[in-house]
Amino acid sequence: MKLNLLFLFIFYSTILAAQEVRLTKGDITGTITTTDGNSAQGVTVKLKELKKTALAGPGGKFELKNLPFGKYTLEVVMVGFDGLTETVEISPENPLVHLELQLNYSSQKLDEVIISTGGNRFAKKESDDVSKMPLKNMENAQVYSIVSKELMKEQVVTDYNSAFKNVPGAGIAEVRNQGRTTSMSRGFPTPQLVRNGVGSFTYNTIDPANLERIEVIKGPSATLFGSTISSFGGLFNRVTKKPFDSFKGEISYSAASWDLNRLTADINTPLNAEKTVLFRINTALHSERSFQDAGFNKSYLIAPSFSYKVNDRLTLMLDVELGGAKGTSPTRLSPYISKDLAKPAKATSIKDMGIPYDLSFANNTVNYTGQQYNIFAQAKYKISEAWNSQTIISRTRSSSEGYTVALTALTDSTLRQAVTNQESPFYGTDIQQNFIGDFKIGQMRNRVVTGFDFYSLRATRNDATVNMPAINYRKPGAAYNNFNIAKVAPLFNSATFLNFVSNNERTYSAYVSDVLNVTDQLLVMGGVRVDRYINKGSYYANRDSTVGNFNQTAISPRFGLVYQLVKEKLAVFGNYMNGFNNVSGSDFNGNTFKPNQANQFEGGVKLDLNKISATLSYYDIKVSNMTRPDLEHTEGSFLIQDGTQLSKGFEAEIIANPVPGLNIVAGYTYNNSKYAKASVDVEGLRPATAGSPTTANIWVSYRIISGAAQGLGVGIGGIYGSEYNQINTHTFKFSIPSYTVLDASVFYDQPRFRIGMKIDNLTNEKYWSYRLAAQNPTKVTGNVTFKF
């Protein structure tokens, strides 16, 4: 009996003690952002009375736990800048205090804070463009990746395509004529058509000098962005640098192998004492030759941007990019395919061809010039506490004039050069009106975007093509020198030039999307878009006739679900997303073709802790309404619209900061694509355009964050792509081998200067793009940057 009484006494004493702790202690949590809308990662939060500190992690989130009840002074401290203070009281009535703090500083200054504290430098995933509304990564049912300017600086990136080494699944860029690029996303070629969240195609070389970050949005995204600027695999959004409210600038020079000379400048300043008018300009001069015997690229960029805060409600912005380039066209090689099945081609891979790696089969006198402008004007207006208006006008012009070259293998040992003399301008307009709301209906929070979009693209072509004599590509001899402008130009005197309107299309769209907080941890997303597509066809002036004009209407829904198992730290998600692609023509019976439809189902996990951020997902994409040859009506080359393509896969991305100063960015993708119902020669096979089934990327860097060597760092990483077929039919396959490319860098970063050196392709790997363009051997780049 005494033992039982003793046990009961101890038991109830323990419960009372636990209740006492619970009733006398509480927590402070919060999120810190900047006035330009970015999360304030790396900022120190101090509790003055208890001398406790916390470091804001990804998303600007911080925690101070098990604090005795009472009043406290919370100090937000940034190295080298004035901070802010907040008075907080924890009481029995309010034991859990959550703060939303905003610093009157831009993300530009916060970069220095993260560097000095050794925080997770590359985990900045907040974006207003991905969902066309402010939405945190942990609240978003869609998968996306970010390549920040900080990562590009650390890797001494001097060309746009090198930044995509950090994108899971992107592979080696396919560089087309005029320098425009296409990368892979979930087994689909994806061009560069989006800038600051709206259509702003670039058919010329893109210079990275004006990039704040690259946002890679995964999966069919037609609901919010439309089909004309996204692929079934996703889209790439180039976010440009914007003005901020203090004077700051840097001038940078890079030099590298093959006579690279690159000079850039980034200068920002307020234009009035009130700091309501802001100005920033980025410029670049770039000159580089190929590692091969011929080939070069010279370009310039001028990118001014203005911001004017008219009043507390209205802010205007004008963002401009003006650029030009001159160079030789990128390599484009078509392998030999024998028409005689009894004598198939001997070469079934680019290695088998035996084409010399360092020969271009080009000539520097056979070149082209390109021009590009992008104009982005935006008006943001605060209608009320719950609603904001965003009006955007984007205008684009891309053009090229001169000579481009294509190589075609004619036999197992010969090829010929086909030269096109062209004049080809593209004109684009995107006008978009968005209304963005954040309000509650009952206890449920709604974040809504509804918008209207007008997009047009018009292009003309005036070109002719001539073929040069065949040469032995294994041992070209003296014939190799016969390819130059003096020999090529006269051939166009008798060539037939074709002058026509190649693109003339418009799209009128309306869309709505809502993210609903059913509870603090359960979020449901739904949206729909209606597109009216008008293609006026190709107009041939010499015949006064139009070919291929048609109109189509498409509806694109999307749904998503996020459940945060641990609020703002661990979430499971699922989504259904739709994309479509307009298709011209009709079948044998005269039925007009419908748009292709891509439907994606995806599920996965997102993790967002101070030390690690990760996304793991599995997706299943089915493309229907694809056209294929009509085997019952072969006499007229008719098509039938019942084809299907499948794309399934797994993606993983990890961004980690396990110890101060150490940062890791890694990705892995596996993609299984195939034609489930298609032309008999490809049915059941992987599309040749789907790229490597397996890819991986990693970048590991360490920076000393204290002591005499503070700012000194090293980085190492690489990319891998498995073998795939550039031609993949049941009768002939032509493969591109797997590749593993390793890079390394060393840098010394200080408040007033930065010195860096990068070695690309440490092992001198030979590897090729989809267009069979040989990629750079070992390349050494040095950089020095002066900051002020």
Side-chain angles (χ1 to χ4, degrees), residues 571-619:
V572 293
F573 68 92
N575 68 58
Y576 162 78
M577 303 187 69
N578 175 268
F580 57 89
N581 183 37
N582 298 104
V583 181
S584 63
S586 59
D587 62 16
F588 176 78
N589 297 313
N591 298 314
T592 303
F593 289 138
K594 302 175 183 178
N596 299 149
Q597 292 283 347
N599 295 293
Q600 171 185 278
F601 292 92
E602 181 178 18
V605 178
K606 290 186 178 184
L607 180 70
D608 194 357
L609 305 176
N610 287 344
K611 297 293 184 181
I612 185 171
S613 173
T615 302
L616 309 176
S617 70
Y618 174 82
Y619 61 88

Side-chain angles (χ1 to χ4, degrees), residues 19-269:
Q19 288 180 334
E20 183 69 17
V21 171
R22 183 173 62 82
L23 293 173
T24 60
K25 290 191 176 183
D27 302 337
I28 299 175
T29 63
T31 302
I32 309 173
T33 58
T34 63
T35 51
D36 59 2
N38 288 276
S39 59
Q41 179 192 347
V43 172
T44 301
V45 181
K46 293 184 178 181
L47 207 59
K48 186 176 180 181
E49 289 78 6
L50 299 181
K51 297 182 179 180
K52 292 188 69 170
T53 63
L55 194 67
K61 297 186 286 290
F62 69 90
E63 292 180 342
L64 291 162
K65 290 194 168 186
N66 295 323
L67 306 174
F69 289 160
K71 287 187 178 181
Y72 299 101
T73 303
L74 198 72
E75 296 180 340
V76 181
V77 181
M78 297 193 302
V79 179
F81 303 101
D82 294 331
L84 61 82
T85 60
E86 186 87 7
T87 301
V88 181
E89 182 175 4
I90 307 174
S91 65
E93 295 77 21
N94 189 25
L96 302 177
V97 177
H98 181 78
L99 302 173
E100 295 287 342
L101 303 176
Q102 187 177 77
L103 295 172
N104 192 29
Y105 298 99
S106 74
S107 59
Q108 306 295 324
K109 297 177 181 178
L110 284 169
D111 294 340
E112 298 176 20
V113 179
I114 296 172
I115 289 171
S116 64
T117 58
N120 200 346
R121 303 182 60 234
F122 309 132
K124 301 177 182 178
K125 298 203 74 170
E126 274 62 39
S127 168
D128 290 349
D129 291 333
V130 172
S131 295
K132 291 190 178 295
M133 67 173 80
L135 195 65
K136 297 176 182 177
N137 178 43
M138 296 299 290
E139 300 174 317
N140 199 328
Q142 189 167 10
V143 174
Y144 61 96
S145 299
I146 302 292
V147 182
S148 66
K149 70 177 187 299
E150 292 82 14
L151 182 55
M152 287 186 272
K153 284 181 180 180
E154 188 169 284
Q155 295 178 350
V156 196
V157 167
T158 59
D159 68 284
Y160 181 70
N161 294 329
S162 292
F164 282 79
K165 291 180 178 180
N166 304 290
V167 177
I172 305 302
E174 177 188 340
V175 184
R176 303 192 176 192
N177 289 339
Q178 298 87 49
R180 67 185 189 272
T181 60
T182 294
S183 294
M184 298 304 303
S185 185
R186 298 193 168 177
F188 297 95
T190 304
Q192 306 288 340
L193 302 177
V194 187
R195 180 174 178 268
N196 292 325
V198 295
S200 185
F201 61 83
T202 297
Y203 288 157
N204 298 87
T205 301
I206 297 174
D207 195 289
N210 193 37
L211 287 177
E212 181 70 26
R213 64 185 181 273
I214 302 170
E215 298 178 344
V216 182
I217 305 172
K218 300 296 185 74
S221 300
T223 304
L224 289 181
F225 294 93
S227 65
T228 50
I229 60 175
S230 63
S231 80
F232 293 150
L235 62 92
F236 305 127
N237 180 33
R238 309 188 311 276
V239 180
T240 60
K241 296 176 181 177
K242 305 297 191 298
F244 50 95
D245 63 359
S246 62
F247 177 78
K248 192 174 182 181
E250 62 180 43
I251 297 175
S252 181
Y253 173 72
S254 298
S257 309
W258 314 304
D259 299 322
L260 168 71
N261 285 284
R262 178 175 174 81
L263 182 66
T264 64
D266 179 0
I267 299 172
N268 181 90
T269 185

Side-chain angles (χ1 to χ4, degrees), residues 415-428:
L415 63 73
R416 74 178 175 201
Q417 298 126 323
V419 184
T420 300
N421 186 354
Q422 65 176 14
E423 185 266 343
S424 182
F426 292 79
Y427 303 89

Side-chain angles (χ1 to χ4, degrees), residues 679-740:
S679 175
V680 292
D681 59 337
V682 297
E683 186 165 343
L685 299 179
R686 182 178 179 83
T689 56
S692 297
T694 303
T695 66
N697 63 280
I698 188 169
W699 181 256
V700 181
S701 67
Y702 179 74
R703 176 193 302 262
I704 299 172
I705 62 172
S706 62
Q710 182 178 359
L712 180 65
V714 295
I716 188 167
I719 54 173
Y720 165 80
S722 61
E723 181 182 19
Y724 68 99
N725 291 323
Q726 194 246 20
I727 298 175
N728 194 25
T729 69
H730 288 293
T731 55
F732 183 72
K733 301 181 188 299
F734 189 89
S735 68
I736 297 176
S738 64
Y739 57 86
T740 301

Side-chain angles (χ1 to χ4, degrees), residues 56 106 176 311 350 489-490 508 515 518 567 644 698 768:
S106 74
R176 303 192 176 192
N311 51 47
I350 183 62
Y508 300 85
V515 177
V518 179
K567 187 171 172 57
T644 303
I698 188 169
W768 294 263

